[in-house]
Each structure stands twice: as structure tokens, then as C-alpha cells.
Amino acid sequence: MTEHTMICVKHGQNGLGFIQEALTHIEDEHRLTIYLFDNMACEEDHEHRIVGMSLFQKLAEKHSADLLISDGRALTTAKRLAETAKEIGATHIIIGEYSEGLWRKFLGRSTADHLTDHLPSTQVKIIPPDHAHEDAEWTFEKGMDAYLYPNNDGTYLLDFHHDTDASHEGVFFKHRHTDFNNGRFAFYDENDICEANVKKGIVHELTDHFEHFA
């Protein structure tokens, strides 16, 4: 029987970091599915739903994983996870604790309890927040698709319009309470998810690998 692990993750600032952590708990020979919850439910947030999605897609491709996308309404999470796990034949499920509070509050039981009841032959592993980086302070606004353009002095100009001169494409997360384009630019570089500091719309170095975007 082929072992099949389903990583359940929410879209947003912590999603990529959660996947990276979850991968350390999986044997190499496991088939892999990443089940991504789009947790931006408001209509006014519709344009932000695809922001950064390419990073999830490329991370899935890197690890030869199937990528499934669903909405992220917390009270339907466990039911959808169980149904999907059955459909794809998952033998292992990895989840974070992001929806546990709501499930315990309204239903008196956890997501893990529900999954264990409905999938008795499937192993369920919970990664606690301190390992999944879900308790990290997030001081950025919503991500925006952005591009870098090289300058003659070796720096890069951040811009939100794309043309063929762009050297990198990714997602810009602006620091809150700033009038300038100060923040972090997350992008995919060869086999790594990387970041760079942005100060007043300029990137001086592309050396920061996956760190705060986790």
C-alpha cells in the first residue's frame, strides 16, 4: 500500500512556513497532497485570493505534490478534510491547530477528534503553533503581486506592473504604519522560497532565504 500524506494548510502569511515544517515529518517515499484553505472569505478580499498562489503552486511542484484548494470556513474544515482524505486515499494527515479553538467552542471537540472518528485507519498528526510558526507576530498588510527591476548599481526597484524587463516576480508585504513601500518581498528562486527586505521601494540584497515568511 502506498503511503499518502495530506498536509492541510491555510492560505496566508504562515502557510508556506507550515508546509516547510510539515515536510520534515514525512518520509521521502510518501505520495503528497497539499490541501490549501483559502481563508479570505470576504467579497472585498476577492482580489487578494490569488496573491501568492504561485508560490504555493511552485512549492507543490518542487515536491511533486498535488495541490487542492478549498475555502477556509472553520466550522466546515474537519468535515471537508475527512471527505477529501477518503477521496484521495490519504493514510496520513498533518494539520495545524489554527481551527481547534472554534471547533472546541462550538462543537465541544477538536478537528483531530473528528478526523480520528471518521478516519480510524488514518494517522493524524498535529503540529503545534510554536513549531508551525502560527504564533509569529505579523506586522504586514495584505500581500500584493509585485516585480523587481534591476538598477545599474546592483539594487532592484519594486514595482506593481509587469513587463519583460522584470527579473523577479513575487509578493510584496508592506509594513503597517508606513507611508513608503517598506516591507518584505517573497519570491521563488530556483529551488527555494526566498525573501528580501524592501526599503522605500528598493531591494538592496536578494540574500535572505525563507525566514519571516513562515
Side-chain angles (χ1 to χ4, degrees):
M1 178 180 176
T2 302
E3 300 294 326
H4 186 172
T5 296
M6 184 171 77
I7 300 175
C8 306
V9 60
K10 63 179 178 179
H11 186 287
Q13 65 267 25
N14 298 318
L16 292 169
F18 182 87
I19 294 173
Q20 298 281 30
E21 173 66 25
L23 288 169
T24 66
H25 299 270
I26 300 173
E27 299 293 334
D28 290 339
E29 64 271 14
H30 281 215
R31 180 184 168 191
L32 181 62
T33 294
I34 297 173
Y35 192 81
L36 178 64
F37 281 96
D38 174 4
N39 58 312
M40 298 177 180
C42 299
E43 286 297 323
E44 59 267 26
D45 288 337
H46 176 73
E47 67 273 18
H48 296 287
R49 294 187 178 194
I50 61 171
V51 171
M53 193 62 72
S54 63
L55 295 178
F56 285 96
Q57 291 171 337
K58 289 177 179 178
L59 189 58
E61 291 172 4
K62 175 185 175 182
H63 295 282
S64 301
D66 295 321
L67 179 63
L68 304 178
I69 302 172
S70 179
D71 70 56
R73 286 172 286 197
L75 292 181
T76 62
T77 297
K79 180 179 179 182
R80 293 187 181 207
L81 292 183
E83 291 174 347
T84 302
K86 286 182 179 179
E87 290 174 3
I88 68 174
T91 57
H92 298 71
I93 299 176
I94 298 179
I95 62 174
E97 295 182 341
Y98 59 87
S99 63
E100 297 298 85
L102 280 175
W103 266 76
R104 288 192 183 279
K105 178 179 178 180
F106 291 105
L107 303 177
R109 59 211 304 269
S110 70
T111 304
D113 292 334
H114 182 90
L115 293 175
T116 300
D117 288 347
H118 289 78
L119 303 167
S121 60
T122 301
Q123 295 184 31
V124 179
K125 182 177 182 62
I126 299 175
I127 298 180
D130 57 333
H131 293 127
H133 307 290
E134 298 221 17
D135 60 342
E137 183 180 0
W138 188 250
T139 60
F140 302 95
E141 296 178 359
K142 294 171 183 174
M144 300 176 61
D145 289 322
Y147 307 88
L148 296 185
Y149 293 86
N151 296 317
N152 292 331
D153 60 359
T155 63
Y156 297 83
L157 174 68
L158 178 81
D159 203 292
F160 304 102
H161 300 90
H162 179 258
D163 65 38
T164 55
D165 294 329
S167 60
H168 297 78
E169 62 178 300
V171 182
F172 174 62
F173 293 89
K174 182 179 179 180
H175 277 298
R176 294 172 181 166
H177 313 300
T178 179
D179 294 328
F180 302 98
N181 283 331
N182 297 321
R184 304 289 288 180
F185 178 76
F187 62 101
Y188 200 87
D189 185 29
E190 295 183 355
N191 292 324
D192 293 316
I193 301 294
C194 303
E195 286 187 51
N197 272 314
V198 181
K199 186 173 182 179
K200 293 186 177 180
I202 299 294
V203 171
H204 293 274
E205 291 184 285
L206 294 175
T207 57
D208 293 347
H209 286 269
F210 196 100
E211 183 179 353
H212 298 294
F213 193 64

